[in-house]
Amino acid sequence: MQAARIVRQSLRLFGVLALMAAPAAAVTVTGLYSVEVPVAGSQPQELEQGYADGLSRVFVRVSGTRDVLRNEGVEELLANAESLLQSYQFLRSDTGNHRLRMSFGAVGVNRALASADAPVWGANRPLTLAWIAVEEGGRRTLVHQGSDSTGTGADEQWRRVFQDAAVDRGLPVGLPPARYRDDRELLSDIWGQFTSSVRRSSEDMEHDLMSLVRVSRSGSQWRAGWVFDGMGLDSTEQSVTADTPQALAAAVVGRWAEMFADRYAVAGSDVGESPQVDIVVHGVSNLKDYARVNGVLKNLSPVVDAGATRARKDQLTLRVAFSGEMEQLKQYIALDPRLVPLSDAEVSRMPTGDERQPGGQAQAQSVQQAPQGGIALAEQSTESAAASANPLFVYQPLLANEEESEQAFESLYQVLHYRWQPASIVESEDGE
């Protein structure tokens, strides 16, 4: 696999995680292979269309470009989308706005893209801190985190459409906190694209680069122009136009995603037969524990090879080559009670490689998983379930320092985190 260029990464996605008081920290994106699409109903042919629609979105997200849908062989892959499906839920709506929530196998999707000679963009992606100023009706507003009683309808609309666009393309995008919304001088700096001035306001916010975006009406269309600051990117203004705010946000974030995919995605020919995943085991304090952890993983049936790549204090990172799908590997690991999976919230609270302490909480995944990796059908009748925003999409701190990020970018798959629980503790708990 070709070496990816080093970047410092971090995350803040519109209220999923809190912004942290440090410049950057690498992250892993999970949920890249999960998606939710509208469907006409639950009949077999309607579900088959939903599978294809969902897989096409995942292909775009994982390859980084919509051009992938024109590659030779992709149409056939979409026609057989069910073969890559791991789980799904049919979300029934009394108003007829049914939705299908799906998770596809990461290994299968990556291999499918490789078979169509498409690029594959891994799970580690940079955060863009977006300073977005919108001018409408002679008034300028700042698009900021969350929503509250003082926010206007326009503020909420633009926040929502950029959030949806970011999740659709699998690109971490952060917004400044609400405390900046009344800073008229800052708004003028954003509109004038004075990066040095805005950079000072960004010093305490997690980001790898920032973008200053100005949105306005251009005749009957919306126009967005932006400049980048950071990661050695071209600082000249780029722009797009669209008929609606939704289409404009999709065009902006789509251009950003394609730019990063060009930079970091690997060629299909570099997607190996044995996928590799980094597993971070916390609480490994001595050589005996290290040997035991290594032995546990190497003895699992799906594991082809396992070896430590770094050790720091009580964290041991191993690169594991495995066969089958990621979920099958997790199921085998779960059979050993000494390896306890960490929740997204627990990972968020872990110190990163340079001892920064991330805060905030992440959303939990909600997918019905069938036994032995099969497919399950579940129905929900609540309107809120169908309308919930991106319940499958989660970002986690990668817990790597700047030097180690380069190695992490070579991995196509999410980083798994476990806590090592020695046998004596397990036996004590069992005895109770």
Side-chain angles (χ1 to χ4, degrees):
M1 184 178 295
Q2 67 183 31
R5 298 182 187 180
I6 186 170
V7 296
R8 296 183 306 167
Q9 291 199 20
S10 176
L11 169 77
R12 170 67 171 83
L13 177 66
F14 304 104
V16 174
L17 293 177
L19 284 172
M20 296 168 278
V27 298
T28 292
V29 182
T30 66
L32 287 176
Y33 302 86
S34 299
V35 68
E36 188 176 303
V37 300
V39 288
S42 58
Q43 294 301 310
Q45 66 273 19
E46 294 166 334
L47 291 177
E48 287 176 6
Q49 184 60 54
Y51 303 152
D53 292 344
L55 184 58
S56 67
R57 293 193 185 187
V58 170
F59 277 173
V60 171
R61 185 187 286 167
V62 176
S63 69
T65 175
R66 293 197 181 278
D67 292 342
V68 68
L69 300 180
R70 295 195 290 268
N71 282 28
E72 184 179 354
V74 167
E75 187 174 343
E76 182 178 353
L77 292 170
L78 295 178
N80 295 283
E82 187 175 2
S83 66
L84 298 175
L85 193 64
Q86 286 195 317
S87 63
Y88 71 87
Q89 285 181 299
F90 179 74
L91 307 177
R92 185 179 297 280
S93 167
D94 294 337
T95 62
N97 298 318
H98 312 306
R99 299 185 70 80
L100 189 63
R101 183 179 296 172
M102 296 161 280
S103 288
F104 293 92
V107 176
V109 167
N110 289 355
R111 286 177 175 166
L113 287 171
S115 73
D117 196 28
V120 180
W121 187 16
N124 302 318
R125 303 187 173 191
L127 166 71
T128 301
L129 175 60
W131 293 91
I132 306 170
V134 179
E135 185 173 79
E136 186 175 5
R139 179 174 177 266
R140 291 178 187 169
T141 58
L142 177 70
V143 182
H144 55 77
Q145 294 175 29
S147 60
D148 52 45
S149 58
T150 62
T152 66
D155 293 338
E156 174 63 18
Q157 178 192 32
W158 286 105
R159 185 197 66 81
R160 187 174 62 254
V161 297
F162 272 96
Q163 167 187 300
D164 291 345
V167 170
D168 190 50
R169 297 304 292 264
L171 183 67
V173 176
L175 292 175
R179 68 176 182 269
Y180 289 105
R181 65 179 172 229
D182 296 323
D183 191 329
R184 311 314 297 178
E185 183 178 351
L186 180 61
L187 265 176
S188 296
D189 290 337
I190 297 168
W191 198 262
Q193 298 180 335
F194 300 128
T195 55
S196 59
S197 300
V198 181
R199 193 184 304 129
R200 288 192 292 272
S201 298
S202 307
E203 289 177 350
D204 64 343
M205 302 178 203
E206 288 283 344
H207 64 284
D208 297 300
L209 76 161
M210 66 179 191
S211 181
L212 278 55
V213 187
R214 48 188 180 190
V215 176
S216 62
R217 282 282 190 180
S218 178
S220 61
Q221 292 189 310
W222 288 98
R223 178 188 184 277
W226 68 88
V227 296
F228 287 117
D229 182 72
M231 295 177 61
L233 295 176
D234 185 0
S235 60
T236 59
E237 186 182 40
Q238 304 175 55
S239 66
V240 294
T241 58
D243 293 332
T244 65
Q246 292 85 351
L248 188 76
V252 172
V253 176
R255 288 276 292 272
W256 295 357
E258 290 171 1
M259 175 192 66
F260 285 122
D262 284 343
R263 194 171 185 177
Y264 299 121
V266 303
S269 58
D270 291 326
V271 177
E273 285 300 314
S274 293
Q276 294 183 333
V277 61
D278 283 345
I279 297 180
V280 180
V281 183
H282 304 264
V284 180
S285 57
N286 53 58
L287 289 175
K288 184 179 294 185
D289 284 343
Y290 160 73
R292 287 172 175 169
V293 170
N294 199 52
V296 166
L297 292 175
K298 283 189 173 181
N299 287 329
L300 297 179
S301 295
V303 172
V304 177
D305 189 29
T309 59
R310 62 178 177 267
R312 181 177 55 248
K313 293 190 175 178
D314 66 342
Q315 293 179 11
L316 176 67
T317 301
L318 302 100
R319 182 151 296 175
V320 176
F322 62 99
S323 60
E325 273 294 344
M326 180 81 74
E327 289 305 315
Q328 294 170 324
L329 175 64
K330 291 180 182 178
Q331 289 169 10
Y332 273 90
I333 295 176
L335 296 176
D336 194 310
R338 291 172 295 179
L339 286 171
V340 181
L342 297 183
S343 68
D344 299 316
E346 288 176 309
V347 174
S348 297
R349 291 193 295 268
M350 290 284 181
T352 60
D354 52 3
E355 304 306 312
R356 290 193 294 268
Q357 195 76 7
Q361 294 183 350
Q363 291 177 291
Q365 289 195 344
S366 176
V367 173
Q368 180 160 335
Q369 185 73 37
Q372 284 115 27
I375 298 174
L377 175 65
E379 294 191 5
Q380 294 185 1
S381 300
T382 60
E383 198 63 36
S384 61
S388 63
N390 315 312
L392 307 179
F393 218 70
V394 179
Y395 294 126
Q396 292 179 340
L398 188 59
L399 307 186
N401 61 30
E402 182 176 341
E403 181 179 354
E404 295 162 345
S405 295
E406 184 171 12
Q407 292 182 355
F409 272 92
E410 298 176 6
S411 175
L412 295 178
Y413 302 95
Q414 69 182 81
V415 177
L416 305 181
H417 290 268
Y418 291 87
R419 182 178 69 254
W420 176 247
Q421 187 165 272
S424 59
I425 296 178
V426 175
E427 292 168 358
S428 174
E429 291 178 349
D430 290 342
E432 294 176 358

